[in-house]
Amino acid sequence: MGKSEATRLHVFKLAYLGLIVALFSLLLSARSGEVYTVWHCMHPLFIPLYFVSTLLLLTVIFWSDNVEQRLLFVMIHSVLSHSFFIIMFPAGDLGGQQLVLGRTRLTFDNVIMDGWPPWPVTNIFERIYHAFRGLNFQTAYSVTFARLFGVDVFWTHLSLIPVLWGIFVPLAAFMTAKALGTNERIAVLAGFLVSLFPSTISWGTYSVPNSLGFIFFACAVPLFLKYLTSNDKKTLALMLVFSFISFMGHALTGITSASLVLLVWAIKKYEIEKHKGLRTARIFLFVTFIFSTCLMPFALVYLKFFYPINTNFSLTKIFELSASEFVLLLVFGQTIEFELTTALLYVAAPLAGLLSMVYILYSVSKRWSKRTYRVGVIFLFLGILMFLVQHRILNLFMSNIPFPGGRLWMFRDFMAVPLVAIFVHATIGFLHRKSSASLQQLKSFLKTLSTPIDVRRLKTFSSAAILLILYLAAFLLIAGWITASVYRAYPHFGPLQTTSYELRAALHIDQTEERYIVVCDQWFIYAAEMMVGVNNPDAYYFTASDPEGVSLFLKMRRDPTPETLVTAMQKTNASVAYFVIEERRIGESQYELIKSQALQNGLSPYPAGVFYYQGREKLSIFYYRQS
């Protein structure tokens, strides 16, 4: 690399770092106490600057030779892409991660000492299930980091997955590509191209056990590939350890890891036995593939012995579909339900991975160790095929599945990333070589510009211009693709998120020294559980789905009386009961009506219990104390 090129590269790196600082600043400036989606308050300059920063990072990846620096930049970019919720929302995304935090809070506050659940479990199988459940595994991480850094578990929980995902998933993709036999530039590119898949963006934003399991699964994939070409016992031990830890994160990732352990063992045995009898080895590999594929559906059926779910094989969905609908779902899966642009974002990258398999097998086989690339590609192909078949079985031939079948796409994406990186690197490399040669011809042409322009020179000029445009367009396409993936991954529609004044109100109520109970809507329950925990006997909130709590709240909305709060207090033998209403949740007219009725019926406004946002009253707290 010449001096001028090195200077230009340093300028690109500094410009990229400057843009990253600006992007984090824009996210922080867009933080709002009352918001529906990230796009509701996103700065209009953010997406254009994000696109430019992605383009600069892609340029650095192809120009720079410093692997550690490039990988660090990729990790920073990944953390940025997964941090929208925790930076812009007061309490992260509304949903499952808030319930997980509520349960984690009980351990952090020493309300429970043995992990979830807080109640006695008599069934030994259910006790084993809970002991190895991802909720307790994630709780251990969140609470440990909170104790280590001396902060509230609220912050370590919300930032746990975005930070871990942003660092370790690109690193895992880098290691997967290296284990496949690629060079370092392709490996770094693989870490960067993880963001091509919208699913890998979405799951990296939620602090839930399934995301933690995905992280450990991603770290297990390079060990699967390394084990194929190695007899090292340490590699085998690490592969089994990471597979088991992925099970600790979530049953889905654990069962999938177990399926791949069987598959990788079968491929390794096939490579040994095929020299003795090719037909027998192929039959063995086929039977093992079928068994590995069936492991997931049967494991979900037998999960009923450990947990009260009722997953079964069923043909009901098939009978409800027409022949054409069945064929479409069998071939295209759930992508036929998406908009065209969304479907392309979800399907285009895996298709690029499929093209890459063909490219590897027929174009670059002479550049790498033949055994390494061939065996690795066979494993990745069979793994992706296994996920495809499992997805169709779960969505068409099973009922009461405890999770959406689309989660299997995550496993497909993790295994397709290195193949996509190889395809992208080969395409850009080809365009670079051809455009460079054409530019050299073009320079020679420009030196003789005074001579008449003939057909040959016109063709040279045209081909050089076209190749150069295609080369630049490839960079723009990838940067735009990643930007579009991020744009699609974050929801554009949603309910009002947990607000800042809801969190402040929950903390204000929790200053009560006696045992208390709160009657409120589900939205305030979500906020309060993050602050005091789920089913905390001293600070009790009915769960959002508890019919008793819903009934009490509806009674208080119709007629807010002390008698209803007295009934609620009997639930936990509480000394104080609170009633919370919010203007944004029930409407301004209903809010004012309930306030006046509560005062007329003898309910007392809680001291400093009226909360405002941007100068407008938003929330009121009433209470009744047992005499």
Side-chain angles (χ1 to χ4, degrees):
M1 182 182 295
K3 187 175 180 180
S4 60
E5 292 181 347
T7 302
R8 192 182 303 119
L9 180 60
H10 286 309
V11 171
F12 282 170
K13 291 177 180 178
L14 291 174
Y16 172 74
L17 292 176
L19 281 176
I20 287 296
V21 173
L23 288 169
F24 273 111
S25 300
L26 288 177
L27 286 180
L28 192 59
S29 66
R31 184 177 178 85
S32 175
E34 194 178 73
V35 62
Y36 288 87
T37 69
V38 294
W39 310 114
H40 178 70
C41 55
M42 180 70 75
H43 196 284
L45 285 177
F46 182 86
I47 288 297
L49 291 181
Y50 183 89
F51 168 77
V52 174
S53 68
T54 306
L55 184 62
L56 285 175
L57 178 55
L58 185 62
T59 305
V60 169
I61 289 173
F62 274 92
W63 279 14
S64 176
D65 294 323
N66 190 322
V67 177
E68 295 82 3
Q69 196 174 77
R70 286 181 294 175
L71 200 54
L72 176 62
F73 284 1
V74 169
M75 291 176 181
I76 294 172
H77 205 76
S78 182
V79 171
L80 169 69
S81 301
H82 296 93
S83 300
F84 292 12
F85 285 148
I86 63 172
I87 294 178
M88 299 178 64
F89 289 177
D93 185 51
L94 179 69
Q97 70 170 352
Q98 296 185 340
L99 179 61
V100 173
L101 175 55
R103 294 172 174 176
T104 303
R105 168 73 63 183
L106 297 178
T107 302
F108 179 76
D109 291 342
N110 298 320
V111 177
I112 59 176
M113 306 303 295
D114 299 320
W116 190 267
W119 55 82
V121 177
T122 56
N123 185 340
I124 184 62
F125 294 109
E126 189 174 348
R127 179 71 265 179
I128 294 172
Y129 171 80
H130 283 294
F132 289 97
R133 196 178 178 188
L135 174 62
N136 289 323
F137 187 52
Q138 181 174 338
T139 296
Y141 277 94
S142 299
V143 173
T144 299
F145 286 130
R147 305 281 192 223
L148 180 64
F149 295 110
V151 297
D152 188 77
V153 73
F154 178 91
W155 301 109
T156 55
H157 169 82
L158 291 182
S159 60
L160 179 69
I161 295 302
V163 173
L164 291 182
W165 192 290
I167 294 173
F168 289 105
V169 168
L171 182 61
F174 172 85
M175 295 172 62
T176 301
K178 287 289 291 181
L180 190 60
T182 68
N183 60 43
E184 291 180 340
R185 179 169 281 108
I186 296 177
V188 174
L189 185 62
F192 174 67
L193 294 181
V194 170
S195 298
L196 282 177
F197 303 86
S199 297
T200 62
I201 298 293
S202 297
W203 280 102
T205 61
Y206 309 119
S207 285
V208 293
N210 208 157
S211 295
L212 191 61
F214 282 137
I215 293 173
F216 282 102
F217 173 83
C219 294
V221 173
L223 296 171
F224 292 139
L225 288 170
K226 192 172 182 181
Y227 174 71
L228 284 172
T229 55
S230 171
N231 294 318
D232 187 10
K233 293 183 178 179
K234 185 184 295 185
T235 302
L236 174 61
L238 286 173
M239 180 185 72
L240 296 176
V241 167
F242 272 90
S243 298
F244 178 74
I245 295 176
S246 69
F247 176 78
M248 295 282 288
H250 196 274
L252 172 63
T253 53
I255 295 169
T256 303
S257 295
S259 301
L260 289 180
V261 167
L262 290 174
L263 185 61
V264 77
W265 168 75
I267 294 174
K268 191 177 181 71
K269 191 172 180 63
Y270 165 81
E271 290 295 314
I272 298 172
E273 298 295 331
K274 69 178 183 179
H275 302 291
K276 301 178 183 178
L278 182 60
R279 184 178 180 181
T280 304
R282 286 177 175 174
I283 293 174
F284 169 75
L285 181 60
F286 176 75
V287 171
T288 308
F289 173 78
I290 296 298
F291 181 79
S292 300
T293 303
C294 294
L295 188 60
M296 171 70 72
F298 281 102
L300 294 179
V301 171
Y302 288 106
L303 197 61
K304 68 180 69 174
F305 293 109
F306 298 89
Y307 198 70
I309 60 174
N310 190 29
T311 303
N312 292 298
F313 289 99
S314 172
L315 296 177
T316 304
K317 296 179 182 178
I318 304 300
F319 293 138
E320 293 175 351
L321 297 172
S322 64
S324 59
E325 289 174 335
F326 174 74
V327 172
L328 287 174
L329 283 173
L330 193 64
V331 175
F332 298 103
Q334 293 171 313
T335 53
I336 60 172
E337 301 172 3
F338 296 165
E339 297 178 0
L340 179 61
T341 54
T342 305
L344 288 175
L345 283 173
Y346 277 90
V347 173
L351 286 179
L354 180 63
L355 292 175
S356 182
M357 290 183 192
V358 178
Y359 172 78
I360 293 171
L361 292 174
Y362 294 100
S363 301
V364 297
S365 58
K366 297 180 180 180
R367 299 185 185 180
W368 301 335
S369 165
K370 184 176 181 180
R371 173 176 167 78
T372 299
Y373 88 82
R374 183 175 58 80
V375 176
V377 169
I378 289 174
F379 168 71
L380 294 177
F381 171 74
L382 290 179
I384 294 172
L385 180 61
M386 181 181 74
F387 302 140
L388 179 66
V389 175
Q390 287 176 342
H391 179 268
R392 301 304 188 264
I393 292 175
L394 295 184
N395 281 278
L396 295 175
F397 300 99
M398 298 189 74
S399 62
N400 300 321
I401 304 169
F403 54 80
R407 292 191 191 183
L408 294 177
W409 291 349
M410 285 297 305
F411 305 113
R412 175 204 66 185
D413 296 345
F414 284 140
M415 300 184 72
V417 162
L419 300 173
V420 175
I422 294 169
F423 178 80
V424 169
H425 183 270
T427 302
I428 291 181
F430 171 79
L431 292 174
H432 176 70
R433 292 190 300 272
K434 292 297 183 179
S435 61
S436 297
S438 297
L439 284 174
Q440 291 297 327
Q441 294 180 354
L442 182 60
K443 288 180 180 178
S444 301
F445 165 72
L446 292 175
K447 289 179 180 179
T448 57
L449 193 60
S450 57
T451 59
I453 299 178
D454 55 18
V455 175
R456 179 174 174 274
R457 287 173 177 167
L458 186 60
K459 287 183 178 180
T460 301
F461 177 80
S462 300
S463 62
I466 292 172
L467 287 170
L468 182 60
I469 291 172
L470 289 175
Y471 178 62
L472 296 176
F475 281 82
L476 295 173
L477 175 63
I478 295 170
W481 188 348
I482 291 178
T483 304
S485 178
V486 172
Y487 184 73
R488 284 289 184 179
Y490 285 92
H492 290 254
F493 303 97
L496 180 65
Q497 300 292 319
T498 298
T499 61
S500 58
Y501 50 84
E502 286 173 330
L503 297 175
R504 288 187 285 112
L507 289 174
H508 185 56
I509 292 175
D510 197 46
Q511 294 176 1
T512 307
E513 296 181 357
E514 305 116 306
R515 174 173 289 193
Y516 66 87
I517 190 168
V518 181
V519 177
C520 57
D521 61 18
Q522 61 176 339
W523 311 108
F524 192 77
I525 290 173
Y526 293 146
E529 286 178 341
M530 301 175 74
M531 300 291 104
V532 301
V534 177
N535 294 332
N536 186 338
D538 295 322
Y540 192 83
Y541 288 80
F542 294 92
T543 59
S545 58
D546 189 333
E548 184 180 0
V550 174
S551 176
L552 288 171
F553 178 70
L554 292 177
K555 285 182 180 179
M556 291 296 291
R557 280 192 60 172
R558 289 192 297 267
D559 187 19
T561 63
E563 289 75 20
T564 304
L565 293 184
V566 170
T567 302
M569 292 162 70
Q570 296 172 359
K571 175 76 174 180
T572 60
N573 196 25
S575 301
V576 185
Y578 293 95
F579 173 53
V580 180
I581 54 173
E582 301 181 61
E583 183 265 340
R584 287 302 299 269
R585 305 295 187 183
I586 61 177
E588 184 178 358
S589 60
Q590 185 74 6
Y591 175 78
E592 295 296 337
L593 177 61
I594 294 174
K595 276 183 61 179
S596 62
Q597 288 178 337
L599 293 173
Q600 291 172 9
N601 293 338
L603 288 180
S604 303
Y606 190 56
V610 179
F611 290 83
Y612 297 83
Y613 181 72
Q614 295 181 345
R616 183 174 177 179
E617 184 177 328
K618 296 292 183 177
L619 182 149
S620 290
I621 305 172
F622 296 89
Y623 78 107
Y624 180 80
R625 187 181 301 275
Q626 187 84 16
S627 59

